[in-house]
Amino acid sequence: MKRLNQNMTPLFTALKEYHSKNVIPFDVPGHKHGVGLSEFRDFVGSRVLEIDVNSMKCLDNLCNPIGVIKDAQELAADAYWADHAYFIVNGTTAAVQAMIMSACEPGDKIIIPRNAHKSATSAIILSGAIPVYIQPEINEELGIAMGVSVEEVERAIGKHPDAKAIFLINPTYYGVASDLASIVKIAHRNGISVLVDEAHGAHMNFHEDIPDSAMKVGADMAAVSMHKTGGSLTQSSILLLRDGIIDHNHVKTTINLTQSTSASYLLMSSLDVARKQLATKGEEILDNILNLTREARKKINEIEGLYAFSKELIGTSGVYDFDETKLGVNVRKIGLTGYEVYDILRDEYNIQIELADMYNILAIVSIGDTKKSLDALVDALADIAKKYKRDEEIKLKKSILQNPDLIVSPRDAYYSSKRVVPLDEAVGEISGESIMVYPPGIPLVVPGERITKDMVEYVKILKEEECQLQGTQDPYVDYINVLGSA
């Protein structure tokens, strides 16, 4: 197959040409190139607002691209070894929703790991699909979920041969990759489509030392958060499709059910440029990032009580491969929770990391990082381990990962009558809403599941740690909606 010229940026080039013409705008947006929003313009710069424009002939239209957006999407598909690519401006949440809604009709079964992101739960509600949960492998020492095993997938397919799709994560938030290639082969032998949440894998197609991407191993669809590790602006994403089981015209129609008709050209053009950069310079950029991350890991592992885990996990339960750009650090042996280290880094060292859990912190290392930024993190961790270390290491009281009973489909639960009860009194009830820590956005309970004592106790632990909990109508998660009339 002839490869496209990845140095081209058709959408970004067209946007620059439009800007050079100084068009007098009588269309939306109402700020009219920033004139009507001077305070904001003066802070962010006039050019940002001058290119915040609406769909027009020369700039194409995301709902039905036939011009420069179409060309930019074709370049993205080529860069990621896909047959089709769709720009998404509602975040990867919208990409995951479109992916599942394209593959599943109401009542269809979808095999899905219990540590999937909340966007998958919302997609199941929207599509009416029935989740068949599988458990990822657990590393008890680190206290986190790893990937799903091939054997677990085979068991699930054996029990549910009528499943329409399987949903996988590549990689997990902490960088763990499952044996995706083997799982794809098994699924396809059984006529099951493979959908991949590749939110943290925008860079995975561009360096041989990084795990294989979903498209490379033959998955049917993948939702790629280009803004997370690829360099585009926040909220911009790409949905990838391989021809075969799922029709590309149906995917386009499904995307247009939920995607904005006023697509941001700032977001879309950033996708165009970020794709070009990865496709033409990705290997060089990632070489540098991997070297920086490896050096940082080595230094962190020399600090007593800290463990920056990496490729040595490969071959352990649920770990087929590992993405070294995810810098996870286990802090339990210095007697601090990850949440405590997260707060100390932010409040005392002016360092913002991605997330924390009871045992670990996670720093995302991407194309914008430098030796200076990583050295600052390493130095801060060394200082924290010295100043704040406690004698007793942290021991997890309750596991975040449950294997709950799904009593009612998430969609039926969402639309059912509900009543509000105190969280302490919710044990045994069927949940009418989700509870999750954000980030990472993995639900502890989803609509339709029976609430257990372990769930409630774990939520209390998280509240004591002042974690950011989401999903319930009550912002403080003292109460929860359960099924049944008031």
Side-chain angles (χ1 to χ4, degrees):
M1 182 178 73
K2 184 180 179 181
R3 307 293 293 184
L4 301 181
N5 181 1
Q6 289 293 334
N7 286 292
M8 302 291 286
T9 53
L11 178 55
F12 183 52
T13 299
L15 187 60
K16 289 189 291 184
E17 289 175 357
Y18 168 84
H19 178 263
S20 70
K21 293 177 180 178
N22 295 314
V23 172
I24 300 171
F26 282 100
D27 59 350
V28 296
H31 61 70
K32 303 299 177 74
H33 294 179
V35 174
L37 200 63
S38 58
E39 181 181 357
F40 188 68
R41 178 197 63 202
D42 292 345
F43 179 74
V44 303
S46 58
R47 183 167 293 177
V48 171
L49 290 167
E50 289 165 2
I51 61 173
D52 179 36
V53 295
N54 191 35
S55 301
M56 57 193 76
K57 283 187 178 180
C58 64
L59 294 179
D60 208 357
N61 188 301
L62 186 58
C63 293
N64 186 38
I66 56 174
V68 291
I69 295 176
K70 177 177 179 289
D71 294 341
Q73 290 184 154
E74 288 176 351
L75 282 161
D78 180 73
Y80 280 96
W81 298 25
D83 293 311
H84 305 274
Y86 309 87
F87 286 180
I88 304 293
V89 296
N90 295 22
T92 305
T93 289
V96 169
Q97 289 172 349
M99 188 162 60
I100 291 177
M101 292 169 69
S102 296
C104 296
E105 298 178 358
D108 284 342
K109 292 179 182 177
I110 180 169
I111 298 168
I112 183 168
R114 191 59 185 80
N115 62 329
H117 186 264
K118 69 174 185 176
S119 58
T121 302
S122 64
I124 286 169
I125 292 171
L126 289 169
S127 67
I130 307 299
V132 174
Y133 287 117
I134 54 177
Q135 285 296 328
E137 302 297 310
I138 306 298
N139 185 304
E140 298 292 347
E141 180 70 19
L142 298 177
I144 57 176
M146 309 314 255
V148 295
S149 69
V150 174
E151 293 74 21
E152 181 74 4
V153 171
E154 287 181 316
R155 280 192 292 270
I157 292 175
K159 291 179 181 178
H160 303 275
D162 55 340
K164 193 73 173 289
I166 179 168
F167 183 90
L168 298 166
I169 304 164
N170 189 53
T172 67
Y173 229 126
Y174 281 104
V176 173
S178 304
D179 186 356
L180 193 58
S182 295
I183 293 172
V184 167
K185 290 176 184 176
I186 293 164
H188 284 173
R189 278 204 305 267
N190 289 274
I192 297 171
S193 62
V194 180
L195 318 177
V196 182
D197 177 353
E198 215 156 56
H200 289 272
H203 58 300
M204 290 174 68
N205 216 47
F206 305 100
H207 199 286
E208 62 180 9
D209 287 349
I210 293 173
D212 287 338
S213 68
M215 289 294 106
K216 189 172 183 179
V217 300
D220 298 284
M221 297 185 78
V224 178
S225 276
M226 198 69 159
H227 69 93
K228 285 187 172 70
T229 61
S232 65
L233 294 183
T234 296
Q235 202 173 311
S236 60
S237 181
I238 299 176
L239 181 59
L240 302 169
L241 172 69
R242 180 181 297 279
D243 283 332
I245 298 176
I246 301 168
D247 178 66
H248 71 94
N249 289 313
H250 179 54
V251 174
K252 174 185 167 183
T253 301
T254 304
I255 291 170
N256 284 336
L257 289 176
T258 57
Q259 175 129 280
S260 172
T261 57
S262 301
S264 166
Y265 280 84
L266 289 168
L267 299 185
M268 290 189 292
S269 60
S270 77
L271 286 171
D272 202 17
V273 177
R275 178 273 314 155
K276 172 192 171 183
Q277 180 172 260
L278 283 173
T280 60
K281 300 178 181 177
E283 185 173 10
E284 174 188 346
I285 293 169
L286 289 166
D287 258 338
N288 179 55
I289 292 303
L290 286 168
N291 288 334
L292 290 176
T293 311
R294 288 163 182 163
E295 182 183 352
R297 267 198 177 85
K298 182 176 181 294
K299 291 178 179 177
I300 291 169
N301 284 329
E302 291 171 354
I303 301 169
E304 186 177 355
L306 299 184
Y307 170 40
F309 46 92
S310 187
K311 282 183 173 285
E312 72 280 355
L313 295 176
I314 294 174
T316 62
S317 212
V319 186
Y320 180 77
D321 207 345
F322 189 86
D323 176 9
E324 295 175 86
T325 69
K326 307 299 187 295
L327 184 54
V329 183
N330 188 271
V331 300
R332 60 182 295 199
K333 290 186 177 178
I334 62 171
L336 299 175
T337 68
Y339 301 117
E340 289 175 306
V341 175
Y342 177 105
D343 287 341
I344 294 168
L345 283 168
R346 182 194 59 214
D347 297 341
E348 299 190 23
Y349 297 88
N350 205 31
I351 293 174
Q352 181 63 59
I353 57 170
E354 176 67 12
L355 64 81
D357 58 40
M358 289 297 292
Y359 282 2
N360 309 283
I361 59 169
L362 175 67
I364 301 290
V365 185
S366 65
I367 62 173
D369 278 296
T370 63
K371 185 178 188 302
K372 182 179 179 180
S373 64
L374 281 161
D375 283 348
L377 175 61
V378 172
D379 291 345
L381 289 173
D383 206 34
I384 290 169
K386 182 179 178 180
K387 285 182 179 178
Y388 295 94
K389 184 176 181 180
R390 301 186 189 122
D391 292 334
E392 188 175 347
E393 71 179 56
I394 299 297
K395 294 189 183 300
L396 199 61
K397 300 172 187 174
K398 293 288 180 182
S399 173
I400 188 173
L401 286 164
Q402 309 290 333
N403 195 13
D405 294 326
L406 184 69
I407 309 302
V408 178
S409 77
R411 182 179 182 133
D412 287 345
Y414 180 82
Y415 286 108
S416 293
S417 297
K418 302 176 187 71
R419 56 192 171 87
V420 179
V421 300
L423 184 65
D424 283 334
E425 299 175 16
V427 175
E429 301 283 359
I430 300 171
S431 181
E433 52 190 352
S434 297
I435 302 177
M436 69 204 72
V437 185
Y438 200 91
I442 296 169
L444 307 176
V445 59
V446 301
E449 290 178 347
R450 193 176 298 284
I451 299 169
T452 66
K453 183 179 179 182
D454 282 348
M455 287 177 182
V456 172
E457 290 183 0
Y458 195 81
V459 170
K460 288 181 178 179
I461 292 170
L462 296 174
K463 289 176 70 175
E464 289 172 3
E465 294 291 335
E466 299 183 352
C467 297
Q468 184 181 347
L469 295 172
Q470 295 184 5
T472 53
Q473 290 182 4
D474 172 20
Y476 304 105
V477 200
D478 293 324
Y479 295 86
I480 186 169
N481 279 316
V482 299
L483 268 56
S485 302

